Amino acid sequence: MGQLFTSGMMYAMIGAAAAVILSGIGSALGIRYTATASAGVMSEDPRNFGKYLVLVALPGTQGIYGFVAAFLVVSKLGAFTSGMTTAQGLQIMFACFPIAFAGLVSAIQQGRVCTAGVDLTAKQPDQSGKALVFGVFVEFYAVLGLIITIFLLNSINP
């Protein structure tokens, strides 16, 4: 049992799992907020489905970013042919945290912003572009989290 907690591979896998799980939870919640609002608005006027679809899909990108981070971790594990130290595993785990937490929080908040965008689009369909821009501003912080995760993963040497 003691050997389990000194396995670098275990910590690396925890980091990859955290990136996917937390970003995925955030995306699911963000999409739920926006999709629920869109469905309500479309029950009265379904003409703007395309405009709502973009707003609903936007919070889903954080889940993709988490998947990309986990894919990079799994790809990196092959470079450790002679085994991974606990310190290296912890480095990989902590490298995954920027996208894990930025993905979780930004997807939820982006869902709220996009939900407000659905309301704006329902009242003023010609303003849907502005609603999309507001959602993209929140996306920026998830992109930063992914970039930092990539930089940190690339700085870890086998």
Side-chain angles (χ1 to χ4, degrees):
M1 185 71 172
Q3 190 176 18
L4 176 66
F5 294 107
T6 59
S7 169
M9 190 67 74
M10 180 194 74
Y11 290 114
M13 298 304 281
I14 289 172
V20 171
I21 292 169
L22 294 178
S23 296
I25 289 171
S27 285
L29 290 172
I31 288 171
R32 183 187 65 116
Y33 295 142
T34 312
T36 302
S38 295
V41 170
M42 285 191 308
S43 69
E44 295 181 14
D45 183 9
R47 287 179 294 175
N48 292 321
F49 172 74
K51 293 177 180 176
Y52 301 137
L53 182 63
V54 174
L55 292 169
V56 170
L58 200 55
T61 56
Q62 284 85 345
I64 296 169
Y65 299 158
F67 178 79
V68 168
F71 181 79
L72 292 173
V73 168
V74 171
S75 298
K76 192 164 192 72
L77 294 180
F80 291 90
T81 55
S82 61
M84 181 183 295
T85 66
T86 302
Q88 290 169 324
L90 287 169
Q91 287 175 332
I92 291 173
M93 183 178 80
F94 287 120
C96 292
F97 284 176
I99 188 55
F101 291 109
L104 173 68
V105 174
S106 70
I108 293 169
Q109 297 307 319
Q110 192 174 47
R112 291 181 174 155
V113 169
C114 289
T115 298
V118 167
D119 293 339
L120 173 64
T121 302
K123 293 176 183 168
Q124 301 177 34
D126 60 326
Q127 301 296 313
S128 66
K130 293 176 183 173
L132 183 62
V133 169
F134 291 147
V136 169
F137 283 146
V138 181
E139 179 83 17
F140 177 71
Y141 294 96
V143 171
L144 290 178
L146 178 61
I147 290 171
I148 293 301
T149 292
I150 291 171
F151 283 157
L152 291 173
L153 286 173
N154 285 335
S155 70
I156 301 168
N157 296 318

